[in-house]
Amino acid sequence: MAENHHKVVIIGSGPAGWTAAIYAARANLAPLVLQGTQPGGQLTITTDVENFPGFPEGIMGPELMEKFQAQAERFGTQVIYDTVTEVDVSKRPFKVVADDGTYTADTLIVATGASAKWIGLESEQKLLGHGVSSCATCDGAFFRNKEVLVVGGGDTAMEEANFLTRFCSKVVVVHRRDSLRASKIMQERAFANPKIEFIWDTAVEEIIGSKETGVTSVTLKNLKTDEVKSFPTQGVFVAIGHQPNTSIFEGKLDLHANGYMKVKPGTAGTNVEGVFACGDVIDHHYRQAITAAGTGCMAAMDAEKYLEALEMSVASV
Ligand code: FAD
Ligand code: NAP
């Protein structure tokens, strides 16, 4: 086999990818992790992570991901900073084409995650983790007794807004139209919540603040009247949807209508035998580091079992 052949190639280096690597490496499968453009995944763009078990004092996102990586490398994981542009899973070994090389694999683990959609403001990215967030479950507790804004009008926005009222003194939903996209039940729940207020037909044009002060206000524009005003707030939760990173698998592996990768229920197996998927790329519902790690474990164990069966069938020929 060529030098670039591996029993297990893992695409992605977030909690799912690293956990798959830890399990595969401990099973002596010497996995290769292709890190992609965001080594460590989504948690590297946040500050405190307080809900990952085992860290009672909390841990910074980037530090947590360094620990994941160190644990995977300790057992023989090979790590390459490379981004996959194309896969061929129509024949074996599977072929993975990346920016800096081509790799072949007996099994492939897809752990490419998902990305929050953002409004697209420079200030939004500058203040990410400093008052701007896309995850109320993750960051809501940092906004206890504060007034925050939620941007969006879908179910995610309503869910985030309702959840935030557990901590925040006031939650203002800013939506670009005058009616919500969210399901009726989620709308009713939000309308009935006395801590939630709505600002309609309005876009967030700028987020004001600094890494030292956090968010202090936003600039809002009424899209019907063009009126622009400053609105004081202490946090901005952007809840306008997520996008799974599956574009390179379109037409190659089965995807749901919303782009998330399909796996067989209760397993990490995709529609192609020997290709497994885990983490946010298969999960539009929970989207947590611990659930991503959990399915990463499943993917590696499924891959190990698949390789065992493959070796047995080769031995019996
Ligand atoms: P990701 O972490 O998204 O990692 C995906 C990986 O795939 C990346 O390494 C990327 O480089 C790689 N990749 C993508 N495309 C390619 C490609 N073509 N080739 C090679 N590699 C590729 N969850 C919590 O449990 N607690 C929290 O406190 C928390 N806070 C969060 C704060 C923020 C700001 C955000 C955005 C998310 C937060 N989350 C939190 C959610 C958590 O980060 C995700 O659920 C988790 O990271 C998903 O892990 P994953 O491994 O599936 O994917
Ligand atoms: P969504 O349904 O696509 O809603 C996205 C919302 O964000 C829309 O209101 C949209 O406005 C707004 N938006 C999009 N781009 C924007 C931008 N650039 N600037 C400002 N606003 C923008 O996404 P979602 O809410 O994440 O839901 C995704 C799916 O998951 C849905 O099927 C939903 O039902 C499901 N879900 C269900 C639950 C639940 O049942 N508990 C919870 C969460 C998600 P417009 O309305 O004007 O397009």
Side-chain angles (χ1 to χ4, degrees):
M1 271 305 169
E3 200 184 316
N4 264 346
H5 182 78
H6 301 265
K7 283 186 176 171
V8 182
V9 168
I10 299 167
I11 310 178
S13 57
W18 287 132
T19 305
I22 292 165
Y23 275 77
R26 288 194 76 249
N28 269 339
L29 296 173
L32 168 69
V33 171
L34 299 172
Q35 289 188 290
T37 50
Q38 191 176 49
Q42 293 170 61
L43 282 186
T44 57
I45 57 166
T46 192
T47 49
D48 298 83
V49 177
E50 293 189 323
N51 53 11
F52 199 85
F55 298 93
E57 312 301 330
I59 182 166
M60 299 300 270
E63 191 191 344
L64 178 61
M65 296 323 299
E66 278 168 20
K67 287 183 185 290
F68 269 73
Q69 176 168 356
Q71 195 169 351
E73 287 183 322
R74 176 180 161 208
F75 298 109
T77 300
Q78 191 188 339
V79 182
I80 300 185
Y81 179 75
D82 209 352
T83 299
V84 177
T85 53
E86 210 183 314
V87 293
D88 183 356
V89 293
S90 65
K91 50 186 183 294
R92 279 147 231 271
F94 303 126
K95 193 161 114 181
V96 175
V97 181
D99 284 342
D100 296 333
T102 296
Y103 311 86
T104 56
D106 295 324
T107 62
L108 207 57
I109 296 181
V110 177
T112 48
S115 311
K117 292 182 191 162
W118 296 104
I119 306 169
L121 305 171
E122 213 173 284
S123 51
E124 174 185 47
Q125 293 309 311
K126 192 183 87 187
L127 294 170
L128 195 58
H130 301 276
V132 176
S133 170
S134 65
C135 178
T137 316
C138 315
D139 297 330
F142 301 122
F143 293 83
R144 206 172 286 279
N145 299 323
K146 293 188 174 173
E147 296 190 3
V148 301
L149 223 71
V150 171
V151 184
D155 278 333
T156 300
M158 295 312 106
E159 201 166 73
E160 301 275 271
N162 268 310
F163 181 79
L164 285 166
T165 59
R166 295 184 193 185
F167 311 100
C168 304
S169 50
K170 186 164 96 178
V171 178
V172 178
V173 174
V174 176
H175 183 37
R176 62 184 177 182
R177 293 187 295 123
D178 62 2
S179 64
L180 296 172
R181 179 178 294 279
S183 55
K184 200 153 187 302
I185 185 164
M186 297 292 280
Q187 294 195 25
E188 283 168 359
R189 211 170 285 163
F191 290 142
N193 190 322
K195 281 188 176 178
I196 300 180
E197 291 175 14
F198 288 82
I199 298 181
W200 304 104
D201 299 311
T202 295
V204 176
E205 289 230 307
E206 198 60 82
I207 304 172
I208 315 293
S210 68
K211 287 184 177 163
E212 291 70 40
T213 61
V215 169
T216 51
S217 68
V218 289
T219 307
L220 299 180
K221 181 178 181 183
N222 185 303
L223 298 171
K224 283 196 170 149
T225 63
D226 282 343
E227 186 201 348
V228 174
K229 67 174 181 189
S230 169
F231 187 86
T233 191
Q234 291 159 298
V236 177
F237 285 81
V238 180
I240 59 175
H242 281 79
Q243 209 161 285
N245 301 320
T246 50
S247 57
I248 54 171
F249 305 105
E250 274 169 24
K252 314 268 173 85
L253 292 168
D254 283 353
L255 306 178
H256 291 283
N258 60 6
Y260 284 79
M261 196 164 284
K262 281 189 183 171
V263 287
K264 293 177 193 137
T267 78
T270 67
N271 62 308
V272 174
E273 269 197 39
V275 181
F276 306 91
C278 51
D280 279 16
V281 77
I282 62 165
D283 169 22
H284 92 283
H285 186 68
Y286 296 103
R287 295 194 304 244
Q288 296 299 299
I290 189 69
T291 46
T295 52
C297 157
M298 288 167 66
M301 290 179 77
D302 287 355
E304 185 188 354
K305 218 169 181 182
Y306 168 82
L307 286 168
E308 260 171 33
L310 201 67
E311 275 159 23
M312 268 162 36
S313 69
V314 170
S316 65
V317 171

